[in-house]
Amino acid sequence: MSPIKSLIDRLGRGVIDFLAEMGGMGLLFFKATLFIFRPPYRFRNLFKQMESIGVGSIPVVLITAVFTGMVLALQSYTGFKRFNAEGLVGTVVALSMTRELGPVLTGLIVAGRAGAAIAAELGTMKVTEQVDALATLAVDPVQYLVTPRFVAGIVMLPVLTIFSDLIGIVGGYAVAVKVLGANAGVYLQRTTQYLELEDLLGGLVKAAVFGGIIAGVSCYKGFQAEGGAEGVGRATTGAVVVSEMLILISNYYVTAFLR
Amino acid sequence: MTDGIRSVVTPHTNGMIELRNVYKSFGNHHVLRGVNLTVAAGEGMVVIGGSGTGKSVILKHIIGLMQPDAGEVIIDGQNLADLSERDLFEFRKRFGMLFQGAALFDSLTVWENVAFGLKEHRFLAKDEMMEIARQKLTKVGLSGIEEKMPADLSGGMKKRVGLARAIAMNPKIILYDEPTTGLDPIMSDVINQLISEMNRDLAVTSVTITHDMKSAYSIANKIAMLYHGEILEVGTPEEIQNSDNPVIQQFIHGRSEGPIQID
Ligand SMILES: Nc1ncnc2c1ncn2[C@@H]1O[C@H](COP(=O)(O)OP(=O)(O)OP(=O)(O)O)[C@@H](O)[C@H]1O
Ligand SMILES: [Mg+2]
């Protein structure tokens, strides 16, 4: 085969694989959503997933958020001082955290942590035929395994994001007031003055979208796993990479949509 | 859709299995090339054949985990391809399946594994489910391990828990993928007897895959040999033993010399 033909061939196959994967994910999202409204409702599975996706991620989310808030205060102070706008540091921290960094960083962290865990668990179940065993016991694996994770992701990401927003703002406050010597009262006033409910809610909507993406993509990748431990490893990596990409891409579009 | 529901609601579950001209390939690997096999209601069919020839693939077609590339799988007169996805799940309630690797749910205890179908589909109290699980475990020679996790069991124990799970709902059709592999000779005999009993006393239709000819002779009403993607011959254990087909003779006597190519 000529090099050009082979290149086109490879490219074509890549595009087809990509489209097939997107189609498969779309279908899984759709099915998982349908099962939200169809009994039996699996509250036990749901709470278990809310715990492992949500509660388990709190420490890393908080650490990330507090340092992000801190560095944000430091950086914007340094920059804003050049045109005598140091007074706006509190505003910048509050808006950046709630509108952007809270949801996005939480999303990326949970993708790395819970997304990987979901893909590894479902991938292992797939290659050891536990997923098939569920089906032979007349239980739809999507309903039993995917829907609880999907709902848990959509519910827990906004919750984590609220923590993240709050702690980020606290971190910014600490640096601005304790390290940079800003006036505490003025800083707080500037934090709340320009912050609107819309900023907070918009961020939470993004977080919910990210939660759905993480759970859906990771379940899909887990179900696609084939061929033992190596396949599970590949599924896990794939789950993290694809969810993080989709988070960053959808972030732009959801922001544009909400604006 | 309506067709599917009607057939599910009015089940004539006698347990007849028919594979008609079933083809299945994975990429360029043509595993099943026109499999024809009929298992009468209440019959104990044993499928033998070389490693990797597609025996497990056949079981997965019977229970609808895999769909044929061509051909039909018909259970109690119902073509599985005509069922909607939802109806197929419903339809599977008449089946029990033991997987080759047991496929126990590793996040659940032994008794929760065995009682899984009961919990999902029957409205029973926890005590009742535990009691049924305990009974089924006793049938496969296990007791006192109800609260253990699958990871803490030996291979042969896992296999038997899988067996208990397969029979827990008293299904009409049971598919056993190598039920005695990894068991000691005495335990193998216990399991063989259990399988025969269920065929005889409960009129269960069963398809068993085994490499163990002794087990095959003891549980089979009929034996079918899968060779090169097709059913080479079907017959009673006597007919198979007296077959003049050299492939079958080589296989059942486990000889390395003969028409079957070792590669
Ligand atoms: N999901 C799958 N994807 C790709 N190939 C598969 C799949 N399932 C089975 N195969 C292939 O089909 C062939 C038959 O597999 P199968 O598991 O049915 O063999 P078997 O007859 O049960 O063998 P054994 O006695 O060793 O269990 C094998 O070559 C296997 O690689
Ligand atoms: Mg097999």
Side-chain angles (χ1 to χ4, degrees):
Chain A
M1 215 189 293
S2 75
I4 298 215
K5 216 175 143 213
S6 124
L7 184 73
I8 292 175
D9 195 57
R10 285 240 300 273
L11 213 68
R13 201 158 306 167
V15 169
I16 290 171
D17 286 351
F18 174 78
L19 290 180
E21 180 150 300
M22 287 300 136
M25 278 181 201
L27 205 64
L28 187 64
F29 276 97
F30 178 71
K31 272 187 77 181
T33 310
L34 273 189
F35 277 123
I36 297 176
F37 307 103
R38 194 192 287 170
Y41 307 109
R42 303 184 178 279
F43 292 110
R44 222 183 92 184
N45 289 14
L46 177 61
F47 291 136
K48 213 174 121 192
Q49 292 310 320
M50 284 169 76
E51 192 183 338
S52 80
I53 294 176
V55 181
S57 303
I58 287 178
V60 276
V61 166
L62 292 191
I63 291 170
T64 310
V66 75
F67 280 97
T68 303
M70 283 161 66
V71 80
L72 211 51
L74 204 56
Q75 291 281 38
S76 48
Y77 179 84
T78 316
F80 285 15
K81 220 176 104 174
R82 292 175 194 161
F83 42 92
N84 299 321
E86 311 88 290
L88 286 175
V89 168
T91 312
V92 167
V93 170
L95 287 183
S96 318
M97 283 310 298
T98 53
R99 293 187 64 96
E100 187 64 28
L101 292 172
V104 171
L105 288 176
T106 305
L108 295 178
I109 287 166
V110 175
R113 205 188 148 276
I118 290 173
E121 186 183 357
L122 297 203
T124 304
M125 291 186 71
K126 171 76 193 318
V127 301
T128 56
E129 298 188 311
Q130 293 176 57
V131 175
D132 282 344
L134 264 182
T136 64
L137 290 160
V139 172
D140 192 323
V142 175
Q143 185 206 36
Y144 190 80
L145 298 170
V146 180
T147 298
R149 286 167 173 79
F150 190 60
V151 175
I154 292 172
V155 172
M156 291 318 281
L157 259 278
V159 173
L160 288 171
T161 299
I162 292 176
F163 285 117
S164 172
D165 291 351
L166 254 173
I167 294 297
I169 290 170
V170 169
Y173 171 89
V175 166
V177 174
K178 305 288 176 199
V179 180
L180 304 171
N183 179 295
V186 173
Y187 187 92
L188 276 183
Q189 193 224 340
R190 287 284 156 77
T191 297
T192 48
Q193 189 175 11
Y194 298 106
L195 185 65
E196 289 173 19
L197 188 62
E198 192 188 294
D199 300 320
L200 193 73
L201 292 183
L204 297 185
V205 168
K206 290 209 270 189
V209 171
F210 300 161
I213 288 176
I214 294 167
V217 169
S218 306
C219 289
Y220 176 81
K221 285 288 182 180
F223 277 175
Q224 293 294 106
E226 248 167 43
E230 199 191 329
V232 175
R234 227 175 304 122
T236 307
T237 317
V240 175
V241 173
V242 175
S243 355
E244 292 189 342
M245 299 280 272
L246 287 184
I247 285 174
L248 295 174
I249 294 169
S250 66
N251 181 37
Y252 175 80
Y253 289 102
V254 179
T255 308
F257 178 77
L258 291 174
R259 198 165 61 98
Chain B
M1 187 77 191
T2 26
D3 262 332
I5 285 177
R6 201 177 313 122
S7 64
V8 169
V9 174
T10 53
H12 43 120
T13 32
N14 45 21
M16 168 128 167
I17 302 169
E18 286 172 270
L19 301 181
R20 290 189 195 155
N21 229 2
V22 169
Y23 284 78
K24 184 71 176 180
S25 305
F26 299 101
N28 290 329
H29 185 24
H30 306 293
V31 179
L32 303 183
R33 306 178 211 178
V35 167
N36 284 290
L37 185 67
T38 302
V39 188
E43 193 168 73
M45 173 67 75
V46 167
V47 177
I48 58 174
S51 206
T53 50
K55 302 182 298 300
S56 298
V57 167
I58 287 186
L59 288 195
K60 288 179 184 170
H61 277 81
I62 295 175
I63 200 167
L65 286 175
M66 287 181 177
Q67 283 76 40
D69 297 336
E72 292 166 339
V73 180
I74 296 164
I75 311 292
D76 288 334
Q78 172 71 52
N79 186 341
L80 293 190
D82 295 340
L83 291 173
S84 71
E85 200 183 357
R86 201 172 171 179
D87 291 337
L88 180 60
F89 279 106
E90 191 63 31
F91 199 78
R92 289 201 183 108
K93 288 181 183 170
R94 69 188 71 188
F95 286 95
M97 175 159 179
L98 166 63
F99 283 80
Q100 191 168 357
L104 301 181
F105 303 124
D106 48 25
S107 61
L108 302 179
T109 63
V110 165
W111 87 264
E112 286 170 330
N113 264 282
V114 176
F116 191 88
L118 299 168
K119 179 154 180 287
E120 288 297 320
H121 305 302
R122 305 263 165 87
F123 301 95
L124 295 178
K126 191 181 166 191
D127 293 348
E128 291 175 272
M129 291 194 293
M130 272 190 108
E131 186 48 39
I132 295 174
R134 201 171 289 127
Q135 280 171 17
K136 301 292 177 186
L137 286 166
T138 312
K139 272 193 199 272
V140 298
L142 293 170
S143 59
I145 61 158
E146 289 82 2
E147 299 289 348
K148 284 208 159 94
M149 299 307 283
D152 301 330
L153 305 180
S154 75
M157 288 163 96
K158 280 184 198 158
K159 207 52 179 277
R160 285 182 284 155
V161 174
L163 187 54
R165 183 176 70 184
I167 63 175
M169 301 275 284
N170 301 323
K172 213 62 198 148
I173 303 175
I174 312 185
L175 311 176
Y176 306 94
D177 201 338
E178 304 195 10
T180 56
T181 304
L183 301 186
D184 66 62
I186 298 173
M187 198 43 76
S188 294
D189 198 49
V190 171
I191 299 304
N192 288 338
Q193 275 180 28
L194 175 67
I195 294 175
S196 313
E197 258 171 46
M198 303 230 291
N199 281 91
R200 202 177 50 231
D201 304 341
L202 303 175
V204 164
T205 310
S206 66
V207 180
T208 309
I209 291 170
T210 186
H211 289 298
D212 172 0
M213 290 315 297
K214 184 164 169 266
S215 163
Y217 297 139
S218 95
I219 59 185
N221 301 128
K222 291 263 184 71
I223 297 179
M225 170 139 180
L226 181 66
Y227 185 65
H228 284 326
E230 288 178 60
I231 298 294
L232 185 64
E233 199 166 314
V234 189
T236 62
E238 294 73 37
E239 283 166 352
I240 290 293
Q241 271 170 306
N242 299 327
S243 165
D244 45 22
N245 190 321
V247 170
I248 291 185
Q249 284 304 324
Q250 184 193 352
F251 190 85
I252 64 178
H253 292 111
R255 289 192 286 258
S256 58
E257 302 290 314
I260 302 177
Q261 300 294 316
I262 316 289
D263 41 31

